[in-house]
Amino acid sequence: MSDILKEIEEKIATVKTTATRRNVGIVREVSDGVAKIEGLDDAMLNEMLDFGDGITGLALNLEETEVGAIILGDYTHIKEGQEVYTTGKLLQVPVGMGLLGRVVNTLGQPLDGKGPINYKTTYPVEKIAPGIIKRRSVNQPVQTGIMAIDAMIPIGRGQRELIIGDRSTGKTAICIDTIINNARLNREAEEKGDESYRKLYCIYVAVGQKQSSVAQTLNILEREGAMPYTIVVVAAASDSATNQYLAPFAGCAMGEWFMDNGMDALIIYDDLSKHAVAYRQVSLILKRPSGREAYPGDVFYLHSRLLERAARLNEKNGNGSLTALPIIETQLGDVSAYIPTNVISITDGQIFLETDLFYQGVRPAISVGISVSRVGSAAQIKAMKQVAGRIKLDLAQFRELAAFAQFGSDLDAATQAKIDRGKRIVEIFKQPQYHPVPVEIQAAILWAVQNGFFDDVPVEKVKDCQDKMTDYLVTRKPGLLNRIRIEKVLDDVTANELKTAIKEFKNFYK
């Protein structure tokens, strides 16, 4: 008899501890991926809730009488009156090297049919950004392979550089080129056994895009051999607003693992305009008050806490970095709208793509006037600093003078020379998609521009001359290019050798 009583007492004690540990609530209302729950007195903000049947939710609204939660997964199975339990855990996603080469959803579950993901660690989706004491200044370049960006608007490891422009102006193309170029550099370092080169791993977060667009991007990355160094996080347009809202944070957590382990990572948010719309949708269903353009008041905080997590850590904290390239889509070039101004003020510079330039055939269609990198030449190798110093100024002056020169025919020789030089720089910076240019070739070509070797080439033949010069240097002068790549500087000896090589080429080209 005593044994039976003892067993009953133990069961009661177990039930009591479970009841105190697991707060229970009842679903009062469910709609559009959002549930209102009564009775969850001890729920905490961003705590995971268990709806049963493998469905989880996230507590976002803590009110006096109810909790508003967003549901991760299929909310159609949730019914009114159903029990919900608190878990005491934050939402976590898998992280680590096992995710490279994989396509995953917001929760880090595979979408590519290549079997389960091999991971040992998980990271919380929401995490406080590294403090100032842990950081160091940005001084290592992210080589995009796009000459106009590497020369005029350089991006450093640990920087946040906004890519902004209207629909279909080549914003994603810039990011894909950057991934392809860094995959090539990673591969070359592996083949040569170069341990001094710090590999850059990439995370591409697709928010609210058509699945056909995502599939096209994946095909390009596979074709160019970039997938082994890339993680793709997908929250497509067909996914719930909840998934689209959480996807950038999940991708950021995956990138932070590389940074915390002394490695370098690059994360692309494509794009944060759709992310803000998804958050607005979730917030309005949760009955949060709407502000300007119906966005909730904390949409600025949403993006700032996401982008602040990009950093370059100091030696004491592992010397890792996370670089962020957020994308924002504007309407008719209006950079003064709510979300564009928010993200411009959070980031360390912006690359603005102009529709008019795009349709004139200037691609990438970078507007030199309002594009800026607040890190600047600190994120360039010395050879690029030497040759690119005046290029941006020359191009900006050309754009001003070209607009002015339309109204008059009599120009002095100095003005005409600036216009002629500007036309040639515009041609040099035109670049086909998915063909990133190595930095040593960029330095050689820009040196030739700066020293007037293109001045006598007709504008319509500049691109042809540039392509043939590149072929000549790659096939006939590989040692010279290799020296520029390794030494990262154009000293007098290298400059003289480059001058001789280009003169030889010009004789051959004529």
Side-chain angles (χ1 to χ4, degrees), residues 20 40 139 175 294 314 373 398 417 437 472:
T20 52
L40 286 182
N139 59 11
C175 297
N314 57 28
S373 168
F398 159 70
V437 180
Y472 180 82

Side-chain angles (χ1 to χ4, degrees), residues 14 52 63 100 112 117 225 239 289 316 333 389:
T14 309
E63 296 170 29
L100 289 170
D112 50 13
I117 287 167
D239 284 20
K316 193 178 171 185

Side-chain angles (χ1 to χ4, degrees), residues 27-44:
V27 175
R28 184 175 64 77
E29 180 189 322
V30 60
S31 64
D32 291 325
V34 169
K36 302 283 180 69
I37 304 152
E38 289 177 342
L40 286 182
D41 300 334
D42 296 335
M44 294 176 284

Side-chain angles (χ1 to χ4, degrees), residues 421 424 444-457 462 465 469 495 498-506 509-510:
R421 175 67 65 88
R424 284 157 179 79
I445 296 292
L446 290 172
W447 186 90
V449 172
Q450 203 175 51
N451 287 277
F453 283 100
F454 283 95
D455 288 359
D456 59 344
V457 179
V462 164
C465 182
M469 188 184 288
L498 188 56
K499 188 176 185 177
T500 308
I502 291 172
K503 277 183 176 174
E504 283 173 13
F505 162 74
K506 285 297 291 280
Y509 182 70
K510 282 177 181 173

Side-chain angles (χ1 to χ4, degrees), residues 355-371:
T355 314
D356 290 348
L357 287 176
F358 185 84
Y359 290 127
Q360 285 165 25
V362 180
R363 300 175 189 181
I366 295 168
S367 169
V368 188
I370 64 171
S371 296

